[in-house]
Structures are given as C-alpha cells and as structure tokens.
Amino acid sequence: MRERVYRTEALILRRSDMAEADRLLLIATPNGKVRVVAKGVRKTTSRLAGHIELFTHVSLLLAVGRNLDIMTQSQAVNPFTALRSDITRLSCAYYVADLYDTLTEEGEESRLIFQLLIETFAALDLSINPDLVLRSFELRLLQIAGYRPHLHHCAQCGTLLTEEANRFSPVVGGVLCPNDQRSDPRALPMGGPAFRLLRYLQTQPMSSIEHLHLSATVRTEVETLLHAYLRHILERDLKSVAFLHDVMRGE
C-alpha cells in the first residue's frame, strides 16, 4: 500500500495557475516526473509561496490525492540563485526542463536522470560555459534515454572511427566513416574540432568543460549537429530553443 503522506526530493520545472489560489507544478523526482498541486500558494498569507520557485532543488512532503498529489511542505535544498537571476542561465534552464519533459514519460523512474538534472542545474548556476553545459546534458540524457549517438564507431558499419570522418547523420544515428558517408546523402558536414569536442563531451564529466577554450564557430557547429539529431528523434523543434537563441543573440 502506498503511504498517504510521503517525502521526496524534487526539482520545480514548471508552474501554472490553477483554480482561484492554487498552482499546478511539474516536478522531477528520483521516481520520475509528476504533476502536483500546491494549494493556496497564490494567497499573500501562504507560507509555501516562497518555497516553490522555478528551478529550485527542494525537499517536499506530499499527500496522496484522488487525481493529483498535494504539496503540504517544501524546504529548499539548493535555490540555484545565480541561475534564476541571470537571463542567459535562466533560458538554459528552461531548455533543460523542456528537453527532459519531452524525452521522458510521467512516472517513469530514473534516479540517473534526476541526478543528471541536479548536476546540470548546479553547473548552470556556476559555469562560465553554460552552452557547453547544455551540450553535455544533451549527450548524457540521450544516452540514458537509449538514443546515444555513435561517435566512436561508424553508425552504419561499426568500424572504429578516425579523424578522417567528417559526416554526421541524424537519420543513421551518428558519425559515418569515409566508406559509408554516402549512405545518407543528407548527412551533415562536420569539422575535426567539432568531432573532437563531441567525443570529449560524451566521455568526460560535466565539470571538465570549465577548462575548455573554444571558438564560437566550433560551439555553434556542435550545437547544430546535436539539435539536428534531437529534431530527428523528437520529430520537431522545442519551443525553448527559439527562446534560448533569442536570448543568446541579445547578449
């Protein structure tokens, strides 16, 4: 039997008004994403209102409801203050939440993804390379979700790739060796620095990106390749991508 009241760690990913004074929250937990109700938090007298800020790591006490569980207590674990006070970092966080929501099913347990989200928000809060944080997050989320792109062996024949490889195929699922690069006429051109960066990000911890010094050209190329791959998997572009690009261009 499920307990009537339970505690869980969570990340607040989305909020919307509900009824006269409630809010509907989309949260990520170690047991998957779930929608919960925060009752009365839009009232000026609510004690919970300040504890459900977007992109905050919290500890929640939830009561089981008939349709939606109800938040009864919230305590901040990490408020990620810098992330929520900077428009660039904030737009990155919206994108992370959007991609997570799109690639996962409600109630699908994944402690690995939850820990990845915690690590990603912590990095966005401090990193001097928020764009590379996103690339690292994309590659790791794709791997956990079962969509790991082939960057070390040819996506077509499985041959060990060398630096001669210069085509990336979203359709086939990764980089093509020179012998198979014509197997997908729509495969995207890929420069050597971008290829090396992709492989580095796929195998190294997220913290390692702070030591990288890269040109804007290489950063943009890697973003283009990964977003083409995500577009093929999702069959659409995420709305948050356009918002992110608008913010980046406005800097």
Side-chain angles (χ1 to χ4, degrees), residues 2 104 141 178:
R2 186 182 176 190
T104 60
L141 183 61

Side-chain angles (χ1 to χ4, degrees), residues 209-223:
I209 66 174
E210 301 310 310
H211 307 294
L212 298 178
H213 300 281
L214 302 161
S215 70
T217 300
V218 173
R219 293 167 185 259
T220 300
E221 184 178 354
V222 167
E223 178 188 13

Side-chain angles (χ1 to χ4, degrees), residues 87-92 95 223 227 238-251:
I87 185 61
T88 298
R89 297 175 192 275
L90 188 63
S91 62
C92 289
Y95 171 71
E223 178 188 13
H227 282 188
L238 298 179
K239 292 181 179 179
S240 55
V241 172
F243 173 59
L244 182 59
H245 286 170
D246 287 344
V247 170
M248 294 294 191
R249 283 195 294 265
E251 286 189 325

Side-chain angles (χ1 to χ4, degrees), residues 141-197:
L141 183 61
L142 285 167
Q143 178 167 338
I144 297 171
Y147 298 104
R148 187 177 193 264
H150 295 275
L151 301 177
H152 295 270
H153 293 81
C154 176
Q156 183 70 28
C157 70
T159 301
L160 185 66
L161 293 167
T162 68
E163 295 222 350
E164 294 179 356
N166 61 6
R167 289 292 185 276
F168 181 93
S169 171
V171 175
V172 181
V175 178
L176 300 172
C177 70
N179 291 333
D180 286 313
Q181 65 182 22
R182 294 183 180 178
S183 62
D184 178 11
R186 294 176 295 175
L188 302 172
M190 177 188 64
F195 184 27
R196 289 190 289 273
L197 178 58

Side-chain angles (χ1 to χ4, degrees), residues 226-244:
L226 284 177
H227 282 188
Y229 185 53
L230 285 164
R231 186 182 305 115
H232 174 71
I233 292 170
L234 303 176
E235 300 182 339
R236 64 183 176 90
D237 284 317
L238 298 179
K239 292 181 179 179
S240 55
V241 172
F243 173 59
L244 182 59

